[in-house]
Amino acid sequence: IRRAAGDVFVRDLGSRNGTKVRGDVLRGEEKLVTAGDTIHVGPAEIVIAAVTRDDAILAKGTRAFAEERAEDRGPESVERAGDRDEPPAEDGSFAFDSVVVADPAMQKVFRLARRLGQAPTTVLIAGETGVGKEVVAEQIHRWSARSSGPFVRLNCASLAENLLESELFGHEKGSFTGADRRKIGYVEAAIGGTLLLDEIGEMPLSLQAKMLRVIETKRVTRLGGTTEVAADVRFLCATHRNLKQEVTQGNFREDLYYRISTFTLQVPPLRERPAEITLLADLFATHVAQRMGVTPPKIALDAAEALLKHAWPGNVRELRNAIEHAVVMAEDGTVHAEHLPESVLRPSEPMPIESARAMKEQFAEVERKNVEAALAAETGNQTRAAKRLGITRRMLIYKMAKFGLKRGNN
């Protein structure tokens, strides 16, 4: 599987039974794949989930959409949400080109996301801060019939209450002091596409009733205006809060909760997805290195072990930040445990038994691959391979026997 100029290609390298892409069998040939395509290699099924995370692309698409409608609304209506400076995305300020989906729990999430993409229903995406709720939301949009339309996101916790209403619904010129021109809100910016209301649990009660009406009627009235604008928008919502509990405590409207939770998609925390930790680490290291203009570093065995032992209370965001820190600190093209932040190296709360078992299996696989790679790099020379791994030759021989690897040269 390779990526070139934004496209992803799959090539069959002469397998006995061929490689299936979208049901078609490839034999020694290459084929372009897109998000949502499935690849079958033997008993394994791979789902391509490529997600563009470039705000510039979003802004360009939103602006073009606005300009197409400008003739009907006048020049002041050209501004869209993408034209303004927006807060960083919840899970990072720089683009990731793909999503790692290796854990069975996340595979289930993405299978459901694909089905929900084909339905018009409002979806509530729940999960701890930093687990990747926005990534799941964007993938639902890309799997929907609205994928050619804009995907607009608004973090409800990022704006003060007196600004949030104007940002959501827009305002007319002169509607309040400083409103020197008409402004299109996030709802109108998402017409023809999808609007993600991130951290909707932080939305003030005073706005929740207005938001409910917009979702139900698909019509919006700008602040200071009297004319309703049709808003053909699909709404997705995300939160790290327990909204049922918030309803009980009087912090969230019950009618809005039932309206947005037609289907609730729970994204598991990273500590329950140990199979993805080192895979995500490799992905993040590659992207950080690309930004720095350096060769992507390898993640050494001691670093992988430290990553797998950590409980990741900050989830994927914390892992991304830790890898960025490590890549900056590493100087020899290899990330070791010493390059990771101190917070990652400190003892964490113990994992559940199931997660710990999966982590142990994942670590063993990483360890085996590192031993194989060292032996291959040193053409089977055990002494040099042991030195490369930072262990004794006796320990290397023990690990080779443990993993059933053939003994090469001394």
Side-chain angles (χ1 to χ4, degrees):
I1 302 175
R2 70 179 183 88
R3 185 173 183 270
D7 292 325
V8 179
F9 298 89
V10 174
R11 176 181 290 276
D12 177 71
L13 300 178
S15 61
R16 179 180 299 176
N17 298 316
T19 301
K20 289 185 179 179
V21 178
R22 298 191 297 269
D24 298 330
V25 179
L26 303 184
R27 295 185 185 279
E29 57 182 316
E30 188 172 74
K31 191 166 189 175
L32 174 69
V33 292
T34 59
D37 286 346
T38 55
I39 304 168
H40 289 88
V41 183
E45 179 183 73
I46 302 167
V47 179
I48 300 296
V51 179
T52 300
R53 302 297 310 283
D54 191 334
D55 284 339
I57 294 174
L58 174 63
K60 179 180 178 182
T62 307
R63 188 178 299 112
F65 180 81
E67 289 171 352
E68 290 176 1
R69 300 174 63 89
E71 294 181 2
D72 298 328
R73 302 186 184 180
E76 292 178 344
S77 67
V78 174
E79 182 182 3
R80 308 294 283 188
D83 293 332
R84 299 189 294 272
D85 290 332
E86 299 181 31
E90 179 198 5
D91 58 345
S93 60
F94 59 93
F96 295 139
D97 295 321
S98 57
V99 180
V100 171
V101 183
D103 188 87
M106 282 301 285
Q107 291 170 359
K108 180 179 179 181
V109 168
F110 272 78
R111 282 197 297 269
L112 289 172
R114 186 173 187 176
R115 294 180 64 181
L116 290 169
Q118 305 304 313
T121 183
T122 301
V123 180
L124 176 63
I125 305 170
E128 296 177 8
T129 299
V131 295
K133 298 185 292 292
E134 187 178 326
V135 172
V136 174
E138 188 164 354
Q139 193 58 50
I140 291 174
H141 167 73
R142 290 179 175 275
W143 273 327
S144 75
R146 296 174 175 268
S147 58
S148 60
F151 176 77
V152 180
R153 54 187 177 268
L154 172 64
N155 189 321
C156 298
S158 66
L159 295 170
E161 181 175 350
N162 61 333
L163 296 177
L164 185 57
E165 183 174 5
S166 173
E167 292 298 303
L168 263 174
F169 309 132
H171 63 252
E172 297 289 353
K173 181 179 179 180
S175 57
F176 54 85
T177 302
D180 56 354
R181 58 173 177 163
R182 172 189 291 173
K183 176 175 284 189
I184 299 300
Y186 277 67
V187 174
E188 284 187 79
I191 288 176
T194 304
L195 173 60
L196 169 63
L197 296 173
D198 199 7
E199 296 301 349
I200 192 170
E202 313 303 316
M203 181 177 287
L205 278 168
S206 59
L207 279 184
Q208 290 178 21
K210 296 179 180 180
M211 194 69 246
L212 174 63
R213 184 176 182 280
V214 171
I215 293 175
E216 289 187 332
T217 65
K218 296 297 179 74
R219 304 187 71 82
V220 63
T221 303
R222 301 187 194 105
L223 197 63
T226 57
T227 303
E228 288 189 327
V229 178
D232 176 23
V233 175
R234 186 198 186 163
F235 293 92
L236 301 178
C237 304
T239 183
H240 73 281
R241 294 188 179 277
N242 183 332
L243 290 190
K244 277 189 175 181
Q245 185 176 336
E246 294 296 309
V247 169
T248 301
Q249 295 175 350
N251 299 324
F252 201 83
R253 290 181 62 101
E254 185 176 32
D255 49 4
L256 178 58
Y257 169 70
Y258 286 117
R259 184 63 183 82
I260 65 175
S261 62
T262 304
F263 196 100
T264 300
L265 196 57
Q266 187 75 36
V267 182
L270 186 59
R271 63 181 173 274
E272 295 178 9
R273 298 145 49 186
E276 297 182 356
I277 293 175
T278 54
L279 297 174
L280 281 167
D282 282 332
L283 179 67
F284 296 161
T286 297
H287 285 289
V288 172
Q290 288 174 346
R291 292 174 63 210
M292 294 174 60
V294 299
T295 302
K298 295 180 180 179
I299 296 179
L301 195 61
D302 61 338
E305 182 177 13
L307 293 174
L308 289 166
K309 284 182 177 179
H310 189 55
W312 300 110
N315 292 292
V316 178
R317 184 192 299 127
E318 183 189 3
L319 174 60
R320 185 207 66 228
N321 290 339
I323 294 302
E324 183 167 9
H325 179 280
V327 173
V328 172
M329 296 297 293
E331 296 180 353
D332 61 351
T334 302
V335 170
H336 290 282
E338 64 189 47
H339 299 135
L340 294 168
E342 182 63 29
S343 59
V344 174
L345 300 177
R346 287 198 299 265
S348 303
E349 292 294 323
M351 285 186 176
I353 294 176
E354 295 79 6
S355 296
R357 186 181 296 116
M359 182 196 75
K360 184 177 180 180
E361 293 174 354
Q362 175 71 3
F363 174 64
E365 178 65 14
V366 171
E367 188 177 27
R368 181 185 66 79
K369 288 182 177 179
N370 274 275
V371 171
E372 285 183 330
L375 287 168
E378 300 297 344
T379 61
N381 187 291
Q382 295 170 9
T383 301
R384 292 199 302 268
K387 185 176 181 181
R388 176 182 284 265
L389 290 169
I391 59 177
T392 64
R393 180 170 172 269
R394 178 176 294 183
M395 179 59 70
L396 174 62
I397 293 173
Y398 165 76
K399 291 181 181 295
M400 291 171 66
K402 173 184 175 182
F403 298 122
L405 302 176
K406 293 181 180 180
R407 296 181 63 172
N409 304 323
N410 292 334

